[in-house]
Amino acid sequence: MSATLTATPETTAAPAPKPTYKVTFGRVLRSEGSKFLSLRSSWITLAVGLFFLAFVGIMVAYRYNPADLHGPAADSRDAIDISLKGVELSQLALGVLGVLATAGEYTTGLIRSTFAAVPKRLPVLWTKCLVLFGAAIVVATAGAFISFVGGENFLHGKAIALTLSSSGVLRCLFGAGLYLALVTVFGAALGMLVRSVAGGIALLVGIMMLLPVFLDMLPSSWKTDVAPYLPGTAGQSIYSLHTAPGALSSGTGLWVFVAWVAAALIGAAYRVVRSDS
Amino acid sequence: MIELQHLVKRYGDKTAVDDLHFTVKPGVVTGFLGPNGAGKSTTMRMILGLDAPTSGSVTVNGKRYAQHAAPIQEVGALLEARSIHPGRSAHNHLLALALTHGIPRRRVDEVIELTGLGKVAKKRAGAFSLGMGQRLGIAAALLGDPQTIMLDEPVNGLDPEGVLWIRTLLTSLAAEGRTVFVSSHLMSEMALTATDLVIIGRGRLMADTTVAEFIEQAGGDSVKVVSSDAARLREALLGPDVTVTGEAGSETLAVSGLSARQIGQAAADAGIAVFELTPQAVSLEEAFMTLTGDTVEYRSNAGTASKNGAPEGSVAA
Ligand SMILES: Nc1ncnc2c1ncn2[C@@H]1O[C@H](COP(=O)(O)OP(=O)(O)O)[C@@H](O)[C@H]1O
Ligand SMILES: [Mg+2]
């Protein structure tokens, strides 16, 4: 990004006959924020993401019965596991939100208006990611807390019950919010890369959910080596209370997932600058 | 001012724009004419830096488009393909563009009024008719109050009222000293609005001229006049540089050297009833087709158009 795009003071001296407008990073950020808020699809996908996260977690907690061997929570080891059961569905809604924000501009042709106003282009990608990250982290963190606190009553007195003050609980809830916000940015990067809403969603679902299935077909030695580094599995370690055998620690998991997002962003940035729109 | 220097654009082995070299001057409307597929839209996208030239370069008001600190204050453009999100309202679309430059909200309302979108500004742009979509595109082009205005086939899909509105708008913008660059595939449309004329075919420059010069070379501009008193009207019209032809006893005359307006005025002054007064654009359209004839991509269509003598036969539609 060029230095000329950093925010400048709003004031202009001398009563010039023509107003002096200027594109700045801060202004592009405001523009992207306004674009995000003025589309109904943003609100709908955010709401769906929040609903999955909160509703699934609370429902699973409500139905939890330690004696039950087949229920939705039969393999749950702790209350965090239960309250964050909705992350997997929620990440699809938020990933799609990211894809829509970028690929949607190509599909509709809006990108040409956008790049005519901001011909340096990269500020558009960065500010879109900032806006999405900001909106998603607020909603997803709220969802994680709603789910945990909402489910607390139902789990109260059971062996797996935890409270907000239990060790590691806050880390997991904030971790889930951070993970989901990063998935949103990941979706935005993929959308910018493939420039088609359908293609972007397919790629997102493929990478987040189908890659582990595909891995099942490979020799098992590969599987144990590679599986923890897949974006979905690495992401999971960010918001797990206990590190599962063979899985990454929450810190390593976060860095691995950030690396995936960064790789997608670098690809997107390269494509944005290099190719015609 | 738009300056193209040996601009070339290839898509694979297809050359869409082939060594275009010309300058668009301020103060007049410059028509950018060429049959469909000639490379007009591609050229305009390169001017905005949306497509990168394969070779050559183009500057606007002395700089490459992307080098301007406030690009939409330099050039306002309406592109061929709609560049609007259907889910966003016209007002919010314009506001988002304005925010990137720090253009005040008041200006957004101004261009909405100016383009007659006041009633629909809060509605989703996806529900807009083709004509309203064009108006929104033009509102976006005017948002930065730019020195240079570039419109790609602006009259496409507009009703007659809209077409007239565009013509008036373009001439008034040029009269304010701005550079106005407008593309079309219809010579008749350009003859009505443009002063300067750049004609391309298959990406190559065919003519860099003025409308007047082009008309002259095409064998003059003629107006068909039908009147009950053709003989007396002929007397009233004759003068230096004016030729009037018509069969004796016929009510129909072909007049060249005078505009339809001048003829109508002369007839009124002489108290002669006129039943028909038609500028003959056919010859212009044909001259344009002859010029670009061997560059038209789909010959059969062009052939039919000229055979029928359709004044607005869409060349290679
Ligand atoms: N993105 C593109 N990829 C491949 N070919 C293109 C692309 N854009 C335009 N063309 C081709 O370039 C030529 C010029 O197109 P265009 O600039 O749209 O012409 P015009 O606007 O004069 O009708 C056409 O043959 C068109 O098919
Ligand atoms: Mg075109």
Side-chain angles (χ1 to χ4, degrees), chain B residues 2-254:
Chain B
I2 306 172
E3 290 161 285
L4 285 79
Q5 281 114 17
H6 299 290
L7 204 59
V8 177
K9 180 66 182 183
R10 285 193 201 93
Y11 295 106
D13 50 11
K14 158 112 205 160
T15 305
V17 170
D18 194 357
D19 199 28
L20 283 189
H21 192 94
F22 61 87
T23 300
V24 185
K25 293 195 304 281
V28 289
V29 175
T30 301
F32 189 30
L33 190 64
N36 282 327
K40 304 180 296 294
S41 301
T42 305
T43 304
M44 289 185 157
R45 286 198 304 274
M46 284 194 281
I47 294 173
L48 292 185
L50 292 172
D51 281 28
T54 307
S55 67
S57 66
V58 52
T59 58
V60 193
N61 306 337
K63 279 189 200 172
R64 285 210 351 258
Y65 182 79
Q67 303 300 319
H68 286 288
I72 67 173
Q73 192 175 22
E74 298 293 332
V75 188
L78 167 76
L79 293 170
E80 181 175 42
R82 237 191 232 200
S83 327
I84 299 162
H85 196 297
R88 198 171 278 122
S89 72
H91 178 268
N92 285 331
H93 172 72
L94 294 170
L95 179 63
L97 292 177
L99 285 171
T100 59
H101 279 59
I103 297 172
R105 276 161 196 268
R106 151 173 54 80
R107 179 63 189 162
V108 171
D109 299 329
E110 256 170 47
V111 294
I112 285 174
E113 282 312 310
L114 196 66
T115 50
L117 287 171
K119 285 203 188 73
V120 292
K122 304 278 174 186
K123 292 214 179 88
R124 297 171 70 250
F128 279 19
S129 66
L130 200 54
M132 284 196 288
Q134 291 290 80
R135 281 169 186 266
L136 177 51
I138 291 168
L142 297 176
L143 192 60
D145 196 13
Q147 186 52 38
T148 299
I149 288 107
M150 182 168 84
L151 309 178
D152 197 356
E153 312 243 3
V155 301
N156 267 6
L158 286 187
D159 51 14
E161 188 204 345
V163 172
L164 200 62
W165 172 72
I166 296 256
R167 282 184 200 147
T168 324
L169 177 74
L170 294 179
T171 24
S172 65
L173 288 168
E176 289 166 18
R178 299 178 207 250
T179 306
V180 182
F181 190 45
V182 194
S183 79
S184 175
H185 62 276
L186 297 174
M187 180 65 218
S188 50
E189 182 55 39
M190 291 290 90
L192 288 170
T193 32
T195 304
D196 282 3
L197 197 57
V198 173
I199 304 179
I200 63 167
R202 271 198 200 160
R204 297 194 136 268
L205 188 65
M206 312 301 297
D208 184 355
T209 176
T210 65
V211 171
E213 204 173 302
F214 183 79
I215 287 171
E216 200 172 310
Q217 282 170 356
D221 188 10
S222 83
V223 180
K224 180 184 171 192
V225 190
V226 182
S227 163
S228 59
D229 201 350
R232 203 153 66 81
L233 182 59
R234 177 192 203 111
E235 295 306 314
L237 295 176
L238 278 176
D241 297 330
V242 178
T243 52
V244 183
T245 52
E247 287 171 36
S250 157
E251 293 197 333
T252 308
L253 296 174

Side-chain angles (χ1 to χ4, degrees), chain A residues 87-105:
Chain A
V87 171
E88 246 178 299
L89 276 177
S90 184
Q91 71 181 356
L92 284 186
L94 293 172
V96 167
L97 174 69
V99 173
L100 285 175
T102 50
E105 290 218 8

Side-chain angles (χ1 to χ4, degrees), chain A residues 232-244:
Chain A
T233 1
Q236 229 162 24
S237 16
I238 304 172
Y239 56 89
S240 296
L241 194 59
H242 303 289
T243 306

Side-chain angles (χ1 to χ4, degrees), chain A residues 15-79:
Chain A
K18 210 176 167 188
T20 41
Y21 304 136
K22 191 174 191 301
V23 180
T24 65
F25 189 82
R27 285 174 176 166
V28 178
L29 182 63
R30 282 191 63 195
S31 169
E32 287 302 329
S34 152
K35 269 159 122 179
F36 179 83
L37 297 177
S38 60
L39 274 191
R40 208 181 336 164
S41 62
S42 310
W43 296 98
I44 292 174
T45 36
L46 270 183
V48 169
L50 178 67
F51 176 79
F52 280 147
L53 194 52
F55 181 79
V56 171
I58 294 174
M59 272 313 280
V60 173
Y62 169 69
R63 297 199 41 209
Y64 176 73
N65 174 359
D68 194 350
L69 295 177
H70 303 290
D75 60 349
S76 294
R77 298 176 307 268
D78 51 61

